Amino acid sequence: MTDIADSDSTQTLLLIVIFALASLLHGISGLGVTLVTTTALASMYPLPHAIVLVIFPSLLLNAMTWLAGGGRSIWQNFIYYGRRYWLLALTSLLGSILGAKLLLWVDSAYILLVLAAVIGFYVISALLGKQIRLPDTKPVLIIVGFSAGVIGGATNAMSTILMMYLLSASNDKNTIAKVGNMCYLLGKIAQIIVLREPIMALSGSEWQLITLLSVLSIAALLVGIRLRRYLPQARFRQLILLILTVLGIRVGWQGITAFL
């Protein structure tokens, strides 16, 4: 019994460190909190359970981004940006529903390989310093929105696909951030709806852990934002890319060994 308790406390401490570090680095550099935490947890838990543990901290961080700047409420932001980007939001929501269902329908080994591939694409494009831009047309919008939703619902890596379109559709950083977070927020809602049974099956201690991780993530994010003006962001972006590379290789190896 002592060994089990020690194992649980060690795992809890590891989760706290992962979420705190990822949120701090996100606050400093603006990159990676959801992707880092999801990928790290996917090497510790089955992927659906890892997604469930990340949903609520991510939801709170998305809500904070929505409320930061502009003087609008979450609902006012939805109305303001939804008027122009409603089709992108709708397609990403539908894709997120399908993506979350894939967590329940498909062998997680396949999804782990997809996650590893998306991380590889993300890291390589960031290292090359090139942002892939897509034509700002309605067919492209529908395809990208749906594809981003499917990948986001299944792996929490929506931004890697969504940003390719948003960078083409707007030059305003605030708009890109707000529209991106609108889609991420809808994706989280889709995950909550589809994964409601695994969520309801969480134990009381797991809910306490999620609450602790949520509060900790917000605190670390705010500290990171404060530190942003004093520290070199480029160094921390490189650190996140290194962390993602290591985690991506590990997750990819998990997916490969599942087939062997």
Side-chain angles (χ1 to χ4, degrees):
M1 290 294 289
T2 304
D3 291 340
I4 294 173
D6 288 344
S7 175
D8 288 344
S9 60
T10 301
Q11 199 165 52
T12 299
L13 181 60
L14 184 58
L15 287 176
I16 289 171
V17 171
I18 289 169
F19 274 80
L21 179 61
S23 300
L24 180 68
L25 292 175
H26 188 92
I28 294 169
S29 68
L31 283 181
V33 62
T34 304
L35 199 51
V36 169
T37 51
T38 302
T39 313
L41 266 62
S43 62
M44 299 165 58
Y45 300 100
L47 187 58
H49 192 64
I51 295 286
V52 166
L53 290 176
V54 173
I55 284 176
F56 293 98
S58 296
L59 189 65
L60 285 174
L61 293 179
N62 287 148
M64 282 183 63
T65 305
W66 265 84
L67 289 169
R72 299 188 186 93
S73 66
I74 293 177
W75 179 246
Q76 287 170 333
N77 272 314
F78 262 113
I79 297 297
Y80 183 81
Y81 292 102
R83 284 173 182 166
R84 180 177 176 188
Y85 293 98
W86 68 269
L87 187 56
L88 183 67
L90 176 63
T91 53
S92 66
L93 173 62
L94 295 175
S96 294
I97 292 171
L98 175 59
K101 285 185 177 292
L102 290 177
L103 282 169
L104 305 175
W105 294 342
V106 178
D107 189 326
S108 61
Y110 292 102
I111 300 178
L112 287 173
L113 290 176
V114 171
L115 177 57
V118 171
I119 290 171
F121 171 80
Y122 182 87
V123 170
I124 290 169
S125 61
L127 289 174
L128 293 174
K130 295 180 179 178
Q131 295 286 0
I132 298 174
R133 296 172 182 265
L134 299 173
D136 183 12
T137 63
K138 190 167 287 188
V140 169
L141 180 152
I142 292 171
I143 293 169
V144 171
F146 189 75
S147 301
V150 172
I151 291 173
T155 68
N156 274 346
M158 181 188 287
S159 62
T160 53
I161 307 299
L162 198 62
M163 282 300 130
M164 290 191 294
Y165 173 77
L166 288 175
L167 288 167
S168 306
S170 176
N171 293 318
D172 179 41
K173 289 184 178 180
N174 190 57
T175 297
I176 291 171
K178 294 293 187 184
V179 173
N181 271 276
M182 176 172 65
C183 295
Y184 308 152
L185 204 58
L186 290 171
K188 291 287 160 271
I189 293 170
Q191 287 178 326
I192 290 170
I193 293 170
V194 174
L195 301 174
R196 60 190 178 278
E197 288 187 13
I199 290 171
M200 295 301 291
L202 291 170
S203 65
S205 61
E206 285 176 316
W207 278 113
Q208 290 176 355
L209 177 61
I210 288 172
T211 302
L212 173 62
L213 294 175
S214 299
V215 173
L216 187 68
S217 296
I218 291 172
L221 181 77
L222 293 174
V223 171
I225 291 171
R226 283 275 182 121
L227 293 175
R228 184 181 294 176
R229 70 186 74 173
Y230 305 111
L231 298 173
Q233 293 182 40
R235 294 286 184 187
F236 288 94
R237 293 170 80 89
Q238 290 170 358
L239 178 58
I240 288 175
L241 293 177
L242 176 62
I243 292 169
L244 281 173
T245 299
V246 173
L247 292 173
I249 292 170
R250 184 173 178 179
V251 165
W253 181 247
Q254 278 182 266
I256 292 169
T257 53
F259 291 109
L260 300 178

